Amino acid sequence: MRAFSCEVCGQLLFFENSLCLRCGTPQGFIVERLALEPPRERPRCAAAEVAACNWLVEREGELCASCRLTRTRPNDADGAGLEAFAAAERAKRRLLFELLDLALPIDDDKLRFDLLSSLDRPVVTGHDDGLITLDLAESDDARRELRRTQLGEPYRTLLGHFRHEIGHYYWPALVEQRGTDELERCRALFGNERESYDAALERHYADGPPSDWRERCVSAYATMHPAEDWAETFSHYLHIHDTLQTAAEFGLVVTGPDVAQDPTLSVAPLGELGAGAGIEAIIADWLPLTYALNALNRGMGRDDLYPFTLAPAVIEKLAYVRERVQAGVAPHSDAR
């Protein structure tokens, strides 16, 4: 995420701000410039209230580029559902900012979101041919933490769900539709996606992940099926890109403790993460940053911010995802 500031008084702004808390200047996100600015003549998104949306549009009554992708949401009489919906929309806007920043194409005619509450009916979070479904119960911290513990997951967030499911959405465009040679390259790393998904799911929940999964996959869930390995790796690439960009925007430099005398703990994150930066340079920045962030979290009595290890085989998969992301950049884009 980029760092934003109020152009009137210079106060730090967060991506979600609709108002500068120092000088009171209204703020809104302008998607064409990926910037927070005073609205001036631009109206707010028609879902400004119901979705807590701070994006601006061209004409009064329009939905913004994020909100118009939502196909289904709780009805207006569902107070609890709408609160959870607004939380999900905040996470979705962060996802879309990163996709736009990476210049990945977003098909307005295909990509859709159903944000549904499992309090009324069974809801399965997932992706199906461009439709991403999210169980709004995931916005409840207690329920999400319970589910995370039940499944033995080290990490579970709304944004993490969106980043995982968008990985499924991009697989056809970045891999499948690029020809047989590209498919075979992908299969050599992740496995054959034609493997029966139902059988793999049953096996995973009956037997659990293989004992050596950390040597090959970024998470235990990634071992379930090649399609899930791709989506988990894709989501971790988005985690890394966003966090390193944020660290660079804030000028964060990790120098490491003097007692360690370890040169690998010294890093100034790459702000651009441009085409010239290979995965080795990115990981060389990422690992010491995660050591510092995890240590800070532990100092606050919290679990590690990034509770994962990146084995060489996982880094190789991340390199492939990065290559595919760069190959999928929309034409005529100067985004990072």
Side-chain angles (χ1 to χ4, degrees):
M1 180 58 67
R2 298 179 186 176
F4 304 99
S5 61
C6 176
E7 65 180 54
V8 175
C9 72
Q11 171 74 9
L12 171 69
L13 299 172
F14 291 102
F15 178 61
E16 295 79 10
N17 281 151
S18 58
L19 188 74
C20 173
L21 297 181
R22 175 188 286 171
C23 69
T25 301
Q27 304 291 332
F29 181 72
I30 299 178
V31 70
E32 309 94 86
R33 295 197 283 275
L34 298 182
L36 274 178
E37 299 178 8
R40 298 187 176 90
E41 301 301 319
R42 289 207 182 202
R44 295 196 179 276
C45 171
E49 295 299 325
V50 71
C53 181
N54 67 336
W55 288 26
L56 304 177
V57 295
E58 293 285 349
R59 289 172 291 276
E60 193 73 42
E62 286 184 337
L63 290 173
C64 71
S66 175
C67 289
R68 68 171 177 250
L69 297 179
T70 297
R71 188 181 76 163
T72 312
R73 66 166 177 85
N75 65 64
D76 290 343
D78 183 358
L82 289 179
E83 184 177 349
F85 165 70
E89 285 288 349
R90 281 193 292 271
K92 177 161 72 75
R93 287 192 292 274
R94 278 194 168 254
L95 168 75
L96 292 174
F97 174 92
E98 186 171 17
L99 300 180
L100 292 166
D101 195 47
L102 284 167
L104 282 169
I106 299 172
D107 187 346
D108 285 356
D109 296 323
K110 188 176 181 66
L111 181 61
R112 287 291 181 268
F113 294 81
D114 279 354
L115 306 179
L116 310 173
S117 175
S118 59
L119 296 178
D120 302 323
R121 54 186 152 166
V123 176
V124 177
T125 295
H127 169 267
D128 182 16
D129 192 28
L131 175 63
I132 292 175
T133 301
L134 179 78
D135 180 4
L136 290 175
E138 292 290 329
S139 69
D140 181 271
D141 291 343
R143 293 187 63 178
R144 188 177 63 253
E145 178 63 16
L146 176 61
R147 188 66 172 155
R148 186 191 70 80
T149 303
Q150 289 173 336
L151 295 175
E153 298 175 344
Y155 169 90
R156 191 179 181 95
T157 67
L158 284 173
L159 184 55
H161 281 306
F162 280 131
R163 284 174 172 165
H164 175 95
E165 301 306 339
I166 206 70
H168 288 301
Y169 167 78
Y170 277 114
W171 187 83
L174 299 183
V175 179
E176 185 180 37
Q177 296 165 12
R178 298 304 176 103
T180 302
D181 288 347
E182 198 58 61
L183 262 176
E184 292 306 317
R185 285 187 66 214
C186 185
R187 288 167 180 165
L189 286 171
F190 295 93
N192 193 332
E193 80 289 346
R194 294 171 296 187
E195 175 189 346
S196 169
Y197 191 90
D198 290 341
L201 185 67
E202 182 177 351
R203 180 178 64 248
H204 178 77
Y205 285 111
D207 303 334
S211 59
D212 64 345
W213 67 265
R214 290 177 180 83
E215 299 174 16
R216 298 179 288 107
C217 296
V218 73
S219 70
Y221 186 66
T223 68
M224 195 270 282
H225 188 273
E228 299 303 343
D229 194 7
W230 160 269
E232 282 286 271
T233 307
F234 191 96
S235 70
H236 277 259
Y237 178 71
L238 296 186
H239 293 334
I240 292 169
H241 171 269
D242 186 284
T243 309
L244 280 179
Q245 183 188 60
T246 305
E249 288 280 307
F250 281 86
L252 183 63
V253 177
V254 181
T255 59
D258 292 338
V259 294
Q261 296 297 309
D262 185 349
T264 66
L265 290 178
S266 179
V267 57
L270 297 167
E272 292 298 318
L273 289 180
I279 195 66
E280 295 83 4
I282 292 171
I283 297 301
D285 275 359
W286 178 241
L287 293 181
L289 180 62
T290 61
Y291 301 154
L293 293 175
N294 287 347
L296 288 169
N297 259 33
R298 294 182 188 191
M300 290 293 292
R302 303 296 299 269
D303 293 336
D304 286 351
L305 183 71
Y306 188 74
F308 301 94
T309 57
L310 300 178
V314 176
I315 293 173
E316 185 179 6
K317 292 176 183 179
L318 284 166
Y320 179 79
V321 168
R322 174 168 171 76
E323 175 199 309
R324 293 291 83 217
V325 166
Q326 290 181 313
V329 167
H332 312 301
S333 175
D334 60 358
R336 299 178 188 181

